[in-house]
Amino acid sequence: MTNTNAQYCPVCSYALKKTDTECGRCGEVLQKITEPVETLRQAPADAQSLTGYSIEAIGKVADVEVAGSPDIHFANGQPVKEGSTKRARDDDQRSMRMLQRELRDLNERIARMDAEKRMTSMLDGNAFRQEQAAEGAVVTEEVKRYSKSDRYFSSLVKRHVTAMKEAGRGATEGSLNAETLYHHFIDGSIVKPGVFDRSITLFVGPPGSLKSTMAAVTIAGMAKASGGRALYLTLDDRKSKFELRTRELNLQKESEIIAVADKRDIRRGSNDIQSNWRASLMEYVRRQLSRGKFRFIVLDNLNALSTLLSTDRERRATFALFNWIRDLGLTAVAVMEGEYSKVLRSKRPEIYLADGIVQFHRIDRGNGESVPMFRVLKMRGAEIDCRYYSLQLNSGSLKFVPAVAM
Amino acid sequence: MNVAEAGRIRTHVDGFDTVLGGGIPAGSVVLISGSPGTMKSSFAFNIIQRNAKSEGTSSVYISLEQSKESIIRQMRSMKLAPEDNPEVHVLDMANVREEIEAATMDDTVVTVLKEYLTDYLKEWGCSLLVLDSLDVLDLRSGVSSKRSHVFSLFEWLREMGLTSLLISESNPQEALENGYEEGYLADGIIELTLSADEGDTVRRRIRCVKMRNTQHQTSFYSLQFTEGRFVVTQSIG
């Protein structure tokens, strides 16, 4: 279904409502948008485009003000005067060209899928060579069958194996000589002896389950104990919200230990306004590390960093991000919004790549009251108590009580 | 290269070898499946570490994502330190993932893996192998079907005389019912679970879903890890 009320942020390409004046993802201030003008002509209720999109309305405007992506014009402007048949014809032609383009793209995709199916059905155990089109991995109709003795196939294999052996030098060498450094985490009886240095722990749960609060307390505790500093990156909320939270927890005294930045700070700190979110974040963190002794980091939350990549590429991107954090010598807590069961079903790569997972939840007591709870599901290198614990905020400190004792 | 002898490879999980009729049939390809936190890696590592200690079996733990340092640290904390035993080799392939991806696009990934691993396996004389994890290998790309790739990989592992434990993030239902070919092509599936209910206790459980050439129970057993050893008991409820 074509969305006629959308615009796209010119910086991060995030889809926004037409009436939005600020990008909800990167904070970019957009041009002032006026209300869309009522269209003059409505397509019949059962009209269908050639591509299967339903045509709800075709708007006609005279003067166009464009916000967002230049490729998509959802325009504001003055309504076309009735009787302007030439303008109506031009607009019809423009719409028709757009529909033809969509149809051509769809046909190309269908042709590619057909070609892949044909090749799959020809498979009899021999290797096939995939023709590479100029623009990338586009499968052509002609497929040659190659046996393992084929020189092209062999040379490809040899090239990859050589590159792997080069890159993998040291893959089997060395062992862990130094003592493992652990950081006290949450509570010594729940995670014994703690999380190891340069680990990444995921806090997963629905909104309002105190993940961010717990992340702030945990990271402050680790930083204080180790003599280092913590960087708290709040990617969804404003810094002011975090400051309110720290006041409730009496963490404002720890302001020297925790440095907070929100997305505006990150964006402002980036030299390249067109770079994507991940690149801006990495640049910002590198800069902060060069200025202070940061040893701990909170990413709140990872959902803001999720890409539009396919699942497999997302895993690769997440693997690269986590490795980058570890290589910087940081011990991290990464917050993730969503019920853990849903995250697990969707096979988010973060849950497989993280060293630890703490699940947050709110349990309904039935009298209108819900109680925040957490439990540790995974922690590499540590002995864990997997029971549910309730979170209680008392006199500015967080207390954990086993759920069975409530 | 040691050819796996006829017989069974013990899991060294107290109580579970009885369920398996003595152990995993030598030369099998077995999936160890479970969601995050179910101790799949630790379970697999326990098998190779204990076999190395008791039978002198040479083995390799191949990690495609977790670094060698992280694995050693993790296993050391569980009193399964690999450096205690020269027959246990850890192969860190996290750094070559990019090349594996490139090989996937070229549709050469299985052949590349075979060629890359053959030298190591011959040098060490391994008869037991753990691959962590199968899901990292994107065998869905390329012009060949996933089934063809999985079949080719599994056949090679058998031809090499290896008893192979492949860690899988898919649950057995996905592996068998939704067209994920590895469930059908594997000789066995061992499932580890973590109950994610709202009770006050999280229970670890294990069961043998499938094991060729073995008369086995398919019911769940309670799995515990204490004092450096895995133990199974009858599951309650």
Side-chain angles (χ1 to χ4, degrees):
Chain A
M1 170 125 24
T2 309
N3 190 343
T4 58
N5 287 320
Q7 62 168 319
Y8 294 85
C9 173
V11 175
C12 67
S13 303
Y14 192 60
L16 301 160
K17 283 191 223 165
K18 190 87 166 79
T19 50
D20 285 338
T21 55
E22 184 182 302
C23 175
R25 190 189 230 183
C26 70
E28 182 72 13
V29 176
L30 304 168
Q31 291 176 0
K32 188 177 175 192
I33 308 292
T34 56
E35 288 296 314
V37 178
E38 284 293 322
T39 56
L40 296 185
R41 193 182 83 183
Q42 295 284 337
D46 60 346
Q48 290 287 324
S49 79
L50 293 172
T51 58
Y53 294 110
S54 66
I55 301 170
E56 293 186 346
I58 299 173
K60 289 191 261 304
V61 294
D63 302 312
V64 172
E65 288 174 20
V66 176
S69 165
D71 291 330
I72 298 167
H73 301 282
F74 296 102
N76 307 317
Q78 301 303 314
V80 176
K81 290 184 185 139
E82 282 192 5
S84 177
T85 53
K86 185 184 180 303
R87 194 163 284 144
R89 261 203 311 276
D90 286 344
D91 288 331
D92 280 347
Q93 280 172 2
R94 212 171 11 245
S95 305
M96 187 56 66
R97 279 198 293 275
M98 210 166 75
L99 288 172
Q100 282 171 345
R101 226 178 4 250
E102 285 174 358
L103 183 61
R104 201 169 43 244
D105 287 344
L106 188 66
N107 285 335
E108 276 173 10
R109 281 207 329 257
I110 291 170
R112 278 201 294 275
M113 282 163 61
D114 280 345
E116 280 177 18
K117 269 192 201 163
R118 275 201 297 278
M119 278 182 287
T120 306
S121 69
M122 282 161 61
L123 185 71
D124 66 358
N126 289 334
F128 284 84
R129 181 161 68 100
Q130 180 177 338
E131 293 287 345
Q132 298 274 343
E135 31 305 330
V138 175
V139 176
T140 62
E141 288 190 4
E142 265 193 42
V143 177
K144 286 186 191 176
R145 280 165 50 174
Y146 290 85
S147 67
K148 284 180 189 153
S149 62
D150 179 74
R151 273 189 287 178
Y152 178 78
F153 182 86
S154 301
S155 72
L156 271 181
V157 168
K158 195 174 172 184
R159 198 184 72 204
H160 286 306
V161 173
T162 306
M164 280 165 73
K165 283 182 173 167
E166 279 294 321
R169 276 206 187 143
T172 61
E173 294 156 16
S175 64
L176 200 58
N177 293 322
E179 281 288 314
T180 302
L181 176 61
Y182 283 94
H183 301 288
H184 177 83
F185 193 79
I186 300 179
D187 187 281
S189 62
I190 300 175
V191 180
K192 203 190 310 182
V195 297
F196 56 76
D197 194 43
R198 291 189 290 139
S199 61
I200 297 176
T201 305
L202 212 56
F203 282 13
V204 189
S209 52
L210 297 186
K211 303 181 296 297
S212 302
T213 305
M214 185 78 145
V217 168
T218 304
I219 214 79
M222 288 200 286
K224 206 171 174 183
S226 69
R229 292 187 72 204
L231 186 57
Y232 194 110
L233 302 179
T234 169
L235 303 172
D236 257 2
D237 282 341
R238 296 282 166 86
K239 210 168 16 182
S240 48
K241 264 194 174 178
F242 178 84
E243 279 157 4
L244 184 68
R245 194 176 294 134
T246 54
R247 262 201 294 276
E248 287 170 354
L249 294 164
N250 291 330
L251 277 182
Q252 70 271 30
K253 289 179 276 191
E254 321 291 6
S255 55
E256 285 178 12
I257 296 173
I258 305 181
V260 186
D262 59 17
K263 56 192 176 191
R264 282 178 189 264
D265 296 324
I266 294 167
R267 258 302 173 217
R268 220 179 283 132
S270 169
N271 288 328
D272 183 4
I273 198 77
Q274 295 296 329
S275 63
N276 64 42
W277 243 129
R278 288 191 183 213
S280 300
L281 178 86
M282 288 160 90
E283 192 189 330
Y284 179 82
V285 169
R286 265 190 232 108
R287 198 171 287 134
Q288 292 304 310
L289 287 181
S290 65
R291 287 178 193 159
K293 286 185 198 171
F294 292 103
R295 294 185 56 195
F296 305 92
I297 190 169
V298 173
L299 296 175
D300 186 2
N301 56 59
L302 285 183
N303 305 62
L305 290 175
S306 70
T307 69
L308 297 172
L309 300 171
S310 67
T311 310
D312 308 308
R313 293 288 175 193
E314 180 76 43
R315 184 161 188 153
R316 176 81 181 115
T318 306
F319 175 75
L321 177 70
F322 280 15
N323 267 9
W324 174 77
I325 291 171
R326 291 183 183 114
D327 288 345
L328 289 176
L330 295 167
T331 304
V333 169
V335 177
M336 199 166 182
E337 291 279 339
E339 284 285 355
Y340 179 70
S341 53
K342 283 187 184 157
V343 168
L344 185 64
R345 267 200 304 276
S346 62
K347 289 189 172 289
R348 290 293 310 171
E350 292 87 347
I351 58 173
Y352 298 101
L353 295 168
D355 299 296
I357 301 173
V358 181
Q359 177 194 5
F360 288 78
H361 196 47
R362 286 196 87 97
I363 292 184
D364 193 0
R365 289 300 206 88
N367 52 358
E369 187 195 340
S370 68
V371 179
M373 301 241 179
F374 76 92
R375 63 178 172 184
V376 180
L377 288 176
K378 169 183 170 184
M379 197 65 71
R380 286 177 180 152
E383 206 177 303
I384 56 176
D385 178 351
C386 297
R387 290 179 296 172
Y388 266 118
Y389 280 78
S390 72
L391 279 163
Q392 294 172 2
L393 187 59
N394 268 340
S395 310
S397 64
L398 271 182
K399 287 187 172 31
F400 318 120
V401 179
V404 70
M406 293 171 59
Chain B
M1 168 89 51
N2 290 338
V3 175
E5 297 174 20
R8 290 181 178 263
I9 306 293
R10 292 175 58 201
T11 62
H12 291 274
V13 175
D14 296 347
F16 198 56
D17 284 323
T18 313
V19 173
L20 294 178
I24 295 169
S28 302
V29 175
V30 176
L31 302 183
I32 311 289
S33 77
S35 55
T38 50
M39 299 184 82
K40 301 183 291 298
S41 304
S42 308
F43 178 81
F45 205 96
N46 174 77
I47 293 175
I48 62 174
Q49 175 74 327
R50 300 256 179 240
N51 272 278
K53 246 183 175 171
S54 59
E55 275 98 47
T57 309
S58 181
S59 54
V60 61
Y61 188 102
I62 301 170
S63 172
L64 293 172
E65 273 178 339
Q66 199 178 347
S67 71
K68 183 175 176 176
E69 187 192 346
S70 174
I71 292 166
I72 292 176
R73 197 159 36 190
Q74 180 182 342
M75 298 309 159
R76 203 191 253 178
S77 72
M78 300 175 69
K79 300 184 177 60
L80 294 171
E83 59 257 281
D84 291 348
N85 201 314
E87 296 299 334
V88 175
H89 308 274
V90 178
L91 183 58
D92 181 352
M93 287 180 67
N95 286 339
V96 301
R97 268 196 69 176
E98 206 168 309
E99 206 56 45
I100 291 174
E101 281 205 3
T104 304
M105 292 304 295
D106 278 342
D107 202 26
T108 57
V109 64
V110 175
T111 310
V112 163
L113 272 175
K114 291 176 195 174
E115 299 232 354
Y116 181 75
L117 292 174
T118 298
D119 289 344
Y120 284 116
L121 294 172
K122 280 185 178 160
E123 184 189 331
W124 295 328
C126 295
S127 58
L128 199 46
L129 174 146
V130 173
L131 180 68
D132 185 2
S133 64
L134 190 61
D135 304 74
V136 177
L137 291 179
D138 179 12
L139 299 177
R140 284 165 289 180
S141 304
V143 303
S144 310
S145 71
K146 182 182 178 184
R147 189 178 185 109
S148 158
H149 282 309
V150 172
F151 177 81
S152 176
L153 178 64
F154 285 14
E155 276 304 290
W156 174 75
L157 290 169
R158 291 182 187 111
E159 281 165 17
M160 293 290 278
L162 294 161
T163 305
S164 309
L165 307 174
L166 310 184
I167 291 174
S168 168
E169 292 153 8
S170 305
N171 64 48
Q173 277 65 47
E174 284 171 346
L176 289 170
E177 292 171 12
N178 292 354
Y180 284 58
E181 290 80 359
E182 60 263 30
Y184 290 102
L185 295 170
D187 301 301
I189 304 175
I190 293 174
E191 183 188 10
L192 290 98
T193 66
L194 199 61
S195 61
D197 54 32
E198 293 182 10
D200 59 335
T201 309
V202 169
R203 286 184 233 153
R204 295 188 191 286
R205 299 195 300 176
I206 186 172
R207 69 169 174 146
C208 178
V209 178
K210 164 186 168 183
M211 192 67 70
R212 289 188 182 136
N213 303 319
T214 303
Q215 276 195 332
H216 64 91
Q217 298 281 336
T218 55
S219 44
F220 274 107
Y221 292 84
S222 184
L223 179 69
Q224 288 164 324
F225 184 80
T226 46
E227 301 298 322
R229 289 199 75 87
F230 279 99
V231 178
V232 300
T233 53
Q234 289 286 342
S235 191
I236 300 167

